[in-house]
Amino acid sequence: MFHFRNKTLMASARALAAAVAISAVGVVSAAAGEITGAGATFPAPIYTKWAEQYAATGGDSLNYQAIGSGAGVTQIINRTVDFGASDTAVAPERLASQNLLQFPAVIGGVVIAVNIPGVDGNALKLTGPIIADIYLGRVRMWNDRRITAINPGVSLPALAIAPAYRADSSGTTNIFTSYIASISLPFQSQVGAGNSVAWRAGIGAPGNAGVAGAIRNTRGGFGYVEYAYATENRMQTPMIQNRSGQFVRPSTAAFSAAAAQANWANAPNLAVSMNNTVGATNWPIVGPTYIMIPKNPADGDRAAAVLKFFDWAFRNGSPAADQLHYVMLPESVRTQVRARWAQVKSGGRPVYTPAR
Amino acid sequence: MTTAPLEGSRRFHLGENLFRAVLFVAAVVVLVTMGAILIILFESGHVAFQKFGVAFIWLNQWDPVRDLYGAAPAIVGTLATSFLALVLAWPIGFGIAYVLTEICPRPLRGPVGVAVELLAAVPSIVYGMWGFFVLAPVMSTTVQPWLTEKLAFLPPVGEFYWFSGAPVGVGLFTASVVLAIMILPFIAAASRDVLQTTPQLLKEGGYAMGATRWEVLTGVVIPAVRGSLFGAVFLGLGRALGETMAVTFVIGNANRLPDSFYAPTASIASIVANEFPDADQGSLKLASLFALGFILFVVSFFVLALARLLLRQGRMA
């Protein structure tokens, strides 16, 4: 809600400043200066880090508002920002009708975080069906027989599980519910997958940070968060059984292994699923996050500045990604994305042509 | 010479008329704005009423995946948190008002009154963050288990288990406590004003008869201002119904009917705040959110109208 107001205010302030500058000097400045983006909270840490490093090299500064994927799409459709960001791929028809180009920017993993007093959550093992049944309200206690059966040697307390989920519309929720809906038929039929769903159990907290806070605040807390938030907050993240039957720990390597299985070749708009891939070391809940930019930008220079920023990130963003546990797109995909940027045109010509 | 006063009075009339016109326009603008808001809310939300009928009001569903919407959880959550907040805040607010008007030494009245009024100046987002990060853990570990133990004798009513839910910290009860603190200054201030209207003669008459403070309060003061006291309380209720930011933090945001006071639920304002950013233009979801806004407007309107009515009756009595 705040963001809406801020955006409008900022937009009008910027328009006013531009008008004053033009009338005073009589010259339209070519430099964008500041580019604005809004949307997914999932990649917010890496975008912010990249922006910091990019600005340090003399690039434009980026103002990224982590307001949630749903709001990001709305903002770019209303053209109140230079680019929108969403963890959910927008349907091809909608991209076409809104004249938007969508491309993946980076890949991340969603993990389960827990707070069980007296238990090392990192050593705990969970399966997809158990996670689904916790959110369906069928598994209610930490010492439920289905959990103790796969955790011999761990003394789980008779403590109620307190599931938490995202209250706001969120791409993290979409990646996560797509995963559990794909392995649990009851979850698929009763809840389904989407940015916001009709949860059967648990409490809703605002944002990744809110869910992390709810888990930390509650004895028996349980929830899903983007991995960077879990590591930043030193949360305990259980192992999850993957499609090959192995219990894997969340790690950048496990996310990369899943990303390598994605079928990019047959994906319209490069929208792929990386959930529940086959492979002994694959983490089961992984997804790319997307950027949306108008194909007919009102200001070609600003659109060029956005593409230039992501071009820089594709070339130089790897150390920051490693540090924050994100996975860079495969090199071949980055090349495909750069080729697609030619569709962003102003006055009939591409606004930005990446160097070879 | 003789025309001068006339001219002056004509000019005076002109100024007076202009002044009146400006005031009249200002008053009408408020009415027109209110009407316009109501019409636009209904106009934007009528698709939801068309699709689900009047049943939209009592349908217990909110499922964005299947595009099924209903207002029951939101209406129940809004009314339950607001009334519970009222029950918690009323005795305290009245107590503060009574202390300020009757018992408190004169030099202390100012500072205590200001302190209570300062509660109204705290931004609601601050209440929300305090409720989520400070109050919720205390609720979860201390207050809720204690209440569960002490109130275990309450028999469940249908599917409602009073204070026997899982103590997760956020939910209907915590939202009510935060709301109670937020409406406390309004109830205290309105009650103080009402108590001050009790005729001094009546009270002195009571004391002259040898009545105690308690007897004067229950036998003289309260009967004299009863209606107005209800009005003061309903003003607080009007504020609680629409509170958004603080409630969104602590209500638990579950679009389901609560099965205990500890259960997470949702209010109309919290659902709109959470779901509005993702509602596409022209979608059924957006229409349903506008329909919720319309319902909240109507409910708030009637609550405030009732408050006005009670206040006026109190004054006439």
Side-chain angles (χ1 to χ4, degrees):
Chain A
M1 304 216 22
F2 294 154
H3 303 290
F4 270 121
R5 211 169 295 155
N6 279 347
K7 280 284 162 232
T8 341
L9 255 177
M10 260 167 40
S12 37
R14 199 179 299 122
L16 195 68
V20 169
I22 292 165
S23 62
V25 190
V27 180
V28 184
S29 163
E34 186 192 69
I35 48 181
T36 57
T41 58
F42 176 85
I46 185 69
Y47 291 168
T48 311
K49 187 83 189 168
W50 280 345
E52 203 177 279
Q53 295 177 346
Y54 184 57
T57 67
D60 296 317
S61 63
L62 166 68
N63 177 352
Y64 183 74
Q65 306 257 339
I67 55 178
S69 295
V73 175
T74 309
Q75 296 266 341
I76 191 61
I77 286 175
N78 294 335
R79 302 290 196 265
T80 46
V81 285
D82 297 323
F83 70 90
S86 169
D87 303 330
T88 312
V90 175
E93 314 83 66
R94 190 145 176 243
L95 288 172
S97 72
Q98 300 297 338
N99 217 353
L100 292 171
L101 176 74
Q102 169 185 287
F103 62 88
V106 71
I107 296 161
V110 178
V111 300
I112 292 287
V114 297
N115 170 9
I116 319 168
V119 173
D120 177 13
N122 291 323
L124 192 71
K125 292 174 179 169
L126 293 172
T127 67
I130 291 178
I131 295 169
D133 281 351
I134 288 175
Y135 277 112
L136 287 173
R138 293 172 168 185
V139 172
R140 289 168 177 270
M141 304 293 288
W142 278 113
N143 62 351
D144 188 281
R145 279 175 57 191
R146 287 173 61 195
I147 303 178
T148 53
I150 54 168
N151 286 284
V154 182
S155 72
L156 286 155
L159 179 70
I161 303 175
Y165 52 80
R166 286 285 291 275
D168 50 333
S169 170
S170 148
T172 312
T173 301
N174 186 53
I175 294 174
F176 180 71
T177 50
S178 300
Y179 164 67
I180 37 179
S182 73
I183 51 169
S184 161
L185 208 59
F187 193 91
Q188 166 71 47
S189 61
Q190 289 179 41
V191 180
N195 279 359
S196 65
V197 300
W199 296 99
R200 295 300 155 114
I203 57 159
N208 264 308
V211 172
I215 296 166
R216 237 179 343 192
N217 281 346
T218 320
R219 287 159 49 88
F222 169 97
Y224 61 92
V225 287
E226 201 280 317
Y227 189 50
Y229 287 87
T231 50
E232 258 171 42
N233 292 301
R234 300 181 195 291
M235 306 188 79
Q236 300 190 333
T237 51
M239 293 179 260
I240 298 179
Q241 191 177 36
N242 66 17
R243 196 163 173 178
S244 305
Q246 303 295 315
F247 286 96
V248 282
R249 251 173 234 297
S251 69
T252 317
F255 304 157
S256 296
Q261 302 285 322
N263 185 0
W264 295 98
N266 298 323
N269 298 308
L270 297 176
V272 293
S273 166
M274 302 170 180
N275 274 335
N276 212 19
T277 47
V278 177
T281 59
N282 292 14
W283 180 253
I285 324 171
V286 178
T289 181
Y290 304 92
I291 297 294
M292 265 80 56
I293 185 167
K295 286 182 180 174
N296 58 342
D299 183 338
D301 293 333
R302 298 185 69 92
V306 170
L307 298 179
K308 199 175 160 198
F309 167 73
F310 283 104
D311 195 21
W312 176 89
F314 282 1
R315 290 172 206 277
N316 308 295
S318 187
D322 287 345
Q323 193 192 335
L324 292 172
H325 309 286
Y326 290 87
V327 178
M328 297 295 283
L329 296 172
E331 185 57 53
S332 62
V333 178
R334 277 180 258 171
T335 310
Q336 284 184 57
V337 168
R338 286 196 185 99
R340 280 163 191 253
W341 287 346
Q343 296 174 33
V344 180
K345 289 178 181 169
S346 179
R349 299 229 306 271
V351 296
Y352 178 72
T353 312
R356 292 275 154 197
Chain B
M1 284 302 273
T2 47
T3 56
L6 253 178
E7 211 160 78
S9 87
R10 194 180 302 147
R11 203 175 298 136
F12 173 77
H13 274 297
L14 194 74
E16 171 83 342
N17 288 340
L18 197 70
F19 183 56
R20 276 181 168 205
V22 168
L23 287 187
F24 185 73
V25 167
V28 169
V29 160
V30 175
L31 272 181
V32 170
T33 312
M34 288 273 288
I37 291 174
L38 196 63
I39 290 168
I40 286 173
L41 281 177
F42 184 76
E43 176 63 27
S44 312
H46 81 282
V47 176
F49 287 115
Q50 264 173 15
K51 166 98 184 169
F52 301 108
V54 190
F56 179 77
I57 296 170
W58 59 82
L59 273 174
N60 177 20
Q61 57 184 23
W62 192 275
D63 190 339
V65 177
R66 289 173 188 80
D67 233 15
L68 295 173
Y69 305 100
I75 294 177
V76 170
T78 304
L79 294 179
T81 47
S82 300
F83 277 106
L84 195 55
L86 210 59
V87 170
L88 295 171
W90 191 356
I92 301 172
F94 181 76
I96 292 170
Y98 187 70
V99 166
L100 284 178
T101 51
E102 303 288 328
I103 296 172
C104 192
R106 215 158 267 282
L108 268 180
R109 284 183 192 182
V112 175
V114 168
V116 174
E117 275 158 22
L118 271 180
L119 282 179
V122 177
S124 67
I125 184 86
V126 173
Y127 278 112
M129 295 180 75
W130 173 78
F132 186 75
F133 288 106
V134 181
L135 183 63
V138 176
M139 282 289 192
S140 165
T141 53
T142 316
V143 179
Q144 292 185 341
W146 184 80
L147 278 176
T148 302
E149 197 187 310
K150 298 292 171 198
L151 299 172
F153 61 86
L154 290 168
V157 175
E159 292 289 300
F160 193 78
Y161 294 91
W162 301 104
F163 292 91
S164 299
V168 285
V170 297
L172 206 169
F173 185 64
T174 306
S176 304
V177 170
V178 171
L179 275 179
I181 299 170
M182 295 179 75
I183 63 175
L184 192 58
F186 297 91
I187 292 186
S191 302
R192 183 183 57 187
D193 294 347
V194 168
L195 286 181
Q196 277 169 347
T197 63
T198 321
Q200 198 65 27
L201 264 178
L202 280 183
K203 281 189 285 186
E204 278 169 10
Y207 288 124
M209 305 271 289
T212 60
R213 271 219 166 99
W214 174 252
E215 284 163 346
V216 170
L217 173 67
T218 53
V220 178
V221 175
I222 290 183
V225 296
R226 195 166 37 209
S228 307
L229 275 183
F230 275 105
V233 163
F234 275 89
L235 284 178
L237 187 61
R239 155 120 182 134
L241 286 170
E243 175 50 44
T244 309
M245 219 55 227
V247 169
T248 306
F249 266 85
V250 292
I251 200 167
N253 302 301
N255 302 333
R256 319 181 276 267
L257 287 175
D259 58 2
S260 79
F261 278 131
Y262 296 162
T265 181
S267 75
I268 293 177
S270 76
I271 289 191
V272 174
N274 281 325
E275 308 267 347
F276 192 72
D278 193 29
D280 299 332
Q281 286 295 323
S283 65
L284 185 59
K285 184 175 178 179
L286 189 63
S288 302
L289 291 172
F290 271 111
L292 278 184
F294 176 76
I295 292 170
L296 180 61
F297 195 106
V298 172
V299 169
S300 303
F301 179 82
F302 278 108
V303 166
L304 285 179
L306 192 63
R308 301 283 308 193
L309 194 73
L310 289 170
L311 273 173
R312 192 177 313 152
Q313 271 179 353
R315 238 168 252 147
M316 282 178 188

Tab-separated table of all heavy atoms in Angstrom, chain B residues 81-97 176-188 191 233 236-237 240:
chain	number	residue	atom	x	y	z
B	81	THR	N	-12.892	-9.257	16.008
B	81	THR	CA	-11.742	-8.547	16.574
B	81	THR	C	-12.192	-7.204	17.144
B	81	THR	O	-11.754	-6.808	18.218
B	81	THR	CB	-10.649	-8.297	15.518
B	81	THR	OG1	-11.247	-7.774	14.340
B	81	THR	CG2	-9.901	-9.565	15.184
B	82	SER	N	-13.101	-6.513	16.456
B	82	SER	CA	-13.519	-5.185	16.915
B	82	SER	C	-14.307	-5.264	18.216
B	82	SER	O	-14.064	-4.498	19.140
B	82	SER	CB	-14.350	-4.496	15.837
B	82	SER	OG	-13.598	-4.347	14.671
B	83	PHE	N	-15.260	-6.224	18.290
B	83	PHE	CA	-16.058	-6.326	19.517
B	83	PHE	C	-15.212	-6.798	20.689
B	83	PHE	O	-15.362	-6.305	21.810
B	83	PHE	CB	-17.260	-7.250	19.300
B	83	PHE	CG	-18.421	-6.546	18.657
B	83	PHE	CD1	-18.743	-6.762	17.334
B	83	PHE	CD2	-19.188	-5.630	19.389
B	83	PHE	CE1	-19.793	-6.100	16.733
B	83	PHE	CE2	-20.245	-4.963	18.794
B	83	PHE	CZ	-20.550	-5.194	17.461
B	84	LEU	N	-14.304	-7.753	20.429
B	84	LEU	CA	-13.442	-8.237	21.514
B	84	LEU	C	-12.549	-7.097	21.999
B	84	LEU	O	-12.336	-6.928	23.206
B	84	LEU	CB	-12.603	-9.420	21.010
B	84	LEU	CG	-11.918	-10.282	22.067
B	84	LEU	CD1	-12.931	-10.797	23.082
B	84	LEU	CD2	-11.209	-11.468	21.417
B	85	ALA	N	-12.057	-6.302	21.060
B	85	ALA	CA	-11.228	-5.148	21.433
B	85	ALA	C	-12.032	-4.197	22.315
B	85	ALA	O	-11.539	-3.656	23.302
B	85	ALA	CB	-10.740	-4.431	20.179
B	86	LEU	N	-13.302	-4.043	21.955
B	86	LEU	CA	-14.185	-3.158	22.714
B	86	LEU	C	-14.380	-3.670	24.132
B	86	LEU	O	-14.313	-2.919	25.104
B	86	LEU	CB	-15.534	-3.137	21.992
B	86	LEU	CG	-16.338	-1.885	22.095
B	86	LEU	CD1	-15.535	-0.737	21.552
B	86	LEU	CD2	-17.611	-2.059	21.302
B	87	VAL	N	-14.605	-4.982	24.249
B	87	VAL	CA	-14.822	-5.592	25.559
B	87	VAL	C	-13.583	-5.387	26.432
B	87	VAL	O	-13.685	-5.151	27.629
B	87	VAL	CB	-15.140	-7.096	25.390
B	87	VAL	CG1	-15.117	-7.811	26.734
B	87	VAL	CG2	-16.498	-7.263	24.723
B	88	LEU	N	-12.389	-5.487	25.802
B	88	LEU	CA	-11.148	-5.317	26.566
B	88	LEU	C	-10.901	-3.848	26.902
B	88	LEU	O	-10.433	-3.521	27.992
B	88	LEU	CB	-9.961	-5.869	25.761
B	88	LEU	CG	-9.954	-7.376	25.504
B	88	LEU	CD1	-8.848	-7.738	24.523
B	88	LEU	CD2	-9.760	-8.146	26.807
B	89	ALA	N	-11.220	-2.951	25.972
B	89	ALA	CA	-10.844	-1.543	26.142
B	89	ALA	C	-11.863	-0.740	26.938
B	89	ALA	O	-11.526	0.249	27.571
B	89	ALA	CB	-10.632	-0.895	24.770
B	90	TRP	N	-13.116	-1.189	26.921
B	90	TRP	CA	-14.186	-0.413	27.550
B	90	TRP	C	-13.955	-0.183	29.053
B	90	TRP	O	-13.918	0.976	29.517
B	90	TRP	CB	-15.523	-1.108	27.281
B	90	TRP	CG	-16.724	-0.310	27.624
B	90	TRP	CD1	-16.770	0.926	28.219
B	90	TRP	CD2	-18.075	-0.689	27.391
B	90	TRP	NE1	-18.066	1.333	28.372
B	90	TRP	CE2	-18.881	0.361	27.874
B	90	TRP	CE3	-18.690	-1.801	26.822
B	90	TRP	CZ2	-20.272	0.309	27.801
B	90	TRP	CZ3	-20.068	-1.850	26.750
B	90	TRP	CH2	-20.857	-0.800	27.233
B	91	PRO	N	-13.773	-1.268	29.840
B	91	PRO	CA	-13.604	-1.032	31.285
B	91	PRO	C	-12.387	-0.166	31.577
B	91	PRO	O	-12.451	0.722	32.440
B	91	PRO	CB	-13.398	-2.440	31.857
B	91	PRO	CG	-13.777	-3.390	30.786
B	91	PRO	CD	-13.686	-2.678	29.488
B	92	ILE	N	-11.287	-0.410	30.838
B	92	ILE	CA	-10.060	0.355	31.100
B	92	ILE	C	-10.273	1.814	30.704
B	92	ILE	O	-9.917	2.737	31.445
B	92	ILE	CB	-8.874	-0.260	30.341
B	92	ILE	CG1	-8.691	-1.718	30.774
B	92	ILE	CG2	-7.598	0.529	30.600
B	92	ILE	CD1	-7.677	-2.479	29.976
B	93	GLY	N	-10.870	2.021	29.545
B	93	GLY	CA	-11.106	3.383	29.063
B	93	GLY	C	-12.026	4.153	30.000
B	93	GLY	O	-11.771	5.315	30.335
B	94	PHE	N	-13.068	3.473	30.460
B	94	PHE	CA	-13.993	4.131	31.393
B	94	PHE	C	-13.288	4.424	32.712
B	94	PHE	O	-13.464	5.492	33.303
B	94	PHE	CB	-15.227	3.246	31.619
B	94	PHE	CG	-16.223	3.861	32.544
B	94	PHE	CD1	-17.047	4.883	32.094
B	94	PHE	CD2	-16.308	3.460	33.864
B	94	PHE	CE1	-17.950	5.478	32.940
B	94	PHE	CE2	-17.218	4.060	34.728
B	94	PHE	CZ	-18.044	5.070	34.267
B	95	GLY	N	-12.478	3.474	33.163
B	95	GLY	CA	-11.721	3.666	34.399
B	95	GLY	C	-10.824	4.880	34.303
B	95	GLY	O	-10.781	5.723	35.211
B	96	ILE	N	-10.103	4.992	33.173
B	96	ILE	CA	-9.225	6.151	32.979
B	96	ILE	C	-10.044	7.437	33.043
B	96	ILE	O	-9.672	8.403	33.714
B	96	ILE	CB	-8.498	6.045	31.618
B	96	ILE	CG1	-7.499	4.887	31.651
B	96	ILE	CG2	-7.784	7.351	31.281
B	96	ILE	CD1	-6.911	4.556	30.298
B	97	ALA	N	-11.198	7.418	32.359
B	97	ALA	CA	-12.031	8.621	32.317
B	97	ALA	C	-12.523	8.992	33.714
B	97	ALA	O	-12.519	10.170	34.099
B	97	ALA	CB	-13.223	8.389	31.380
B	176	SER	N	-7.119	-8.481	18.659
B	176	SER	CA	-8.058	-7.754	19.508
B	176	SER	C	-7.323	-6.954	20.581
B	176	SER	O	-7.718	-5.829	20.895
B	176	SER	CB	-9.032	-8.725	20.179
B	176	SER	OG	-9.687	-9.490	19.209
B	177	VAL	N	-6.267	-7.555	21.157
B	177	VAL	CA	-5.512	-6.858	22.207
B	177	VAL	C	-4.857	-5.604	21.620
B	177	VAL	O	-4.920	-4.517	22.206
B	177	VAL	CB	-4.458	-7.800	22.830
B	177	VAL	CG1	-3.518	-7.020	23.741
B	177	VAL	CG2	-5.133	-8.916	23.598
B	178	VAL	N	-4.232	-5.750	20.446
B	178	VAL	CA	-3.585	-4.591	19.820
B	178	VAL	C	-4.630	-3.517	19.494
B	178	VAL	O	-4.422	-2.328	19.750
B	178	VAL	CB	-2.820	-5.020	18.546
B	178	VAL	CG1	-2.346	-3.809	17.773
B	178	VAL	CG2	-1.642	-5.911	18.917
B	179	LEU	N	-5.773	-3.959	18.956
B	179	LEU	CA	-6.849	-3.001	18.638
B	179	LEU	C	-7.356	-2.319	19.906
B	179	LEU	O	-7.637	-1.114	19.897
B	179	LEU	CB	-8.016	-3.728	17.964
B	179	LEU	CG	-7.919	-3.919	16.456
B	179	LEU	CD1	-9.140	-4.667	15.950
B	179	LEU	CD2	-7.819	-2.570	15.757
B	180	ALA	N	-7.447	-3.079	20.996
B	180	ALA	CA	-7.938	-2.508	22.249
B	180	ALA	C	-7.035	-1.354	22.682
B	180	ALA	O	-7.524	-0.288	23.090
B	180	ALA	CB	-7.986	-3.590	23.327
B	181	ILE	N	-5.720	-1.565	22.572
B	181	ILE	CA	-4.794	-0.491	22.958
B	181	ILE	C	-4.964	0.710	22.032
B	181	ILE	O	-4.913	1.863	22.457
B	181	ILE	CB	-3.343	-1.010	22.921
B	181	ILE	CG1	-3.176	-2.164	23.916
B	181	ILE	CG2	-2.349	0.110	23.235
B	181	ILE	CD1	-1.876	-2.899	23.798
B	182	MET	N	-5.210	0.417	20.750
B	182	MET	CA	-5.329	1.512	19.790
B	182	MET	C	-6.592	2.344	19.994
B	182	MET	O	-6.593	3.545	19.719
B	182	MET	CB	-5.294	0.960	18.363
B	182	MET	CG	-3.958	0.324	18.017
B	182	MET	SD	-3.934	-0.336	16.349
B	182	MET	CE	-3.807	1.164	15.399
B	183	ILE	N	-7.687	1.704	20.432
B	183	ILE	CA	-8.936	2.470	20.574
B	183	ILE	C	-9.103	3.023	21.981
B	183	ILE	O	-9.984	3.834	22.232
B	183	ILE	CB	-10.186	1.641	20.184
B	183	ILE	CG1	-10.363	0.438	21.114
B	183	ILE	CG2	-10.108	1.204	18.751
B	183	ILE	CD1	-11.646	-0.324	20.834
B	184	LEU	N	-8.208	2.592	22.895
B	184	LEU	CA	-8.302	3.045	24.284
B	184	LEU	C	-8.372	4.570	24.413
B	184	LEU	O	-9.260	5.094	25.106
B	184	LEU	CB	-7.109	2.487	25.069
B	184	LEU	CG	-7.172	2.597	26.585
B	184	LEU	CD1	-8.420	1.893	27.112
B	184	LEU	CD2	-5.925	1.984	27.205
B	185	PRO	N	-7.473	5.323	23.765
B	185	PRO	CA	-7.537	6.782	23.936
B	185	PRO	C	-8.857	7.383	23.463
B	185	PRO	O	-9.347	8.345	24.060
B	185	PRO	CB	-6.366	7.298	23.096
B	185	PRO	CG	-5.913	6.166	22.271
B	185	PRO	CD	-6.316	4.915	22.969
B	186	PHE	N	-9.454	6.794	22.410
B	186	PHE	CA	-10.716	7.344	21.902
B	186	PHE	C	-11.826	7.110	22.916
B	186	PHE	O	-12.637	7.992	23.192
B	186	PHE	CB	-11.081	6.706	20.559
B	186	PHE	CG	-10.084	7.012	19.495
B	186	PHE	CD1	-9.009	6.170	19.263
B	186	PHE	CD2	-10.185	8.173	18.750
B	186	PHE	CE1	-8.067	6.473	18.291
B	186	PHE	CE2	-9.259	8.484	17.776
B	186	PHE	CZ	-8.187	7.635	17.557
B	187	ILE	N	-11.864	5.896	23.468
B	187	ILE	CA	-12.903	5.575	24.448
B	187	ILE	C	-12.706	6.414	25.705
B	187	ILE	O	-13.657	6.967	26.261
B	187	ILE	CB	-12.883	4.068	24.771
B	187	ILE	CG1	-13.326	3.293	23.530
B	187	ILE	CG2	-13.771	3.756	25.956
B	187	ILE	CD1	-13.479	1.828	23.747
B	188	ALA	N	-11.438	6.548	26.154
B	188	ALA	CA	-11.171	7.307	27.371
B	188	ALA	C	-11.566	8.771	27.187
B	188	ALA	O	-12.238	9.350	28.044
B	188	ALA	CB	-9.695	7.185	27.743
B	191	SER	N	-15.387	9.100	26.911
B	191	SER	CA	-16.025	8.833	28.198
B	191	SER	C	-15.796	9.995	29.156
B	191	SER	O	-16.685	10.364	29.932
B	191	SER	CB	-15.465	7.549	28.831
B	191	SER	OG	-15.640	6.462	27.978
B	233	VAL	N	-18.369	4.450	23.314
B	233	VAL	CA	-17.793	3.152	23.016
B	233	VAL	C	-17.889	2.838	21.527
B	233	VAL	O	-16.960	2.329	20.914
B	233	VAL	CB	-18.513	2.086	23.857
B	233	VAL	CG1	-18.241	0.714	23.299
B	233	VAL	CG2	-18.059	2.178	25.297
B	236	GLY	N	-15.245	4.278	19.352
B	236	GLY	CA	-14.052	3.433	19.352
B	236	GLY	C	-14.210	2.270	18.397
B	236	GLY	O	-13.292	1.916	17.660
B	237	LEU	N	-15.398	1.691	18.365
B	237	LEU	CA	-15.665	0.560	17.487
B	237	LEU	C	-15.481	0.959	16.020
B	237	LEU	O	-14.901	0.227	15.224
B	237	LEU	CB	-17.085	0.050	17.713
B	237	LEU	CG	-17.471	-1.234	16.995
B	237	LEU	CD1	-16.582	-2.372	17.438
B	237	LEU	CD2	-18.925	-1.583	17.264
B	240	ALA	N	-11.962	0.782	15.179
B	240	ALA	CA	-11.402	-0.568	15.147
B	240	ALA	C	-11.776	-1.307	13.864
B	240	ALA	O	-10.977	-2.072	13.319
B	240	ALA	CB	-11.879	-1.352	16.364
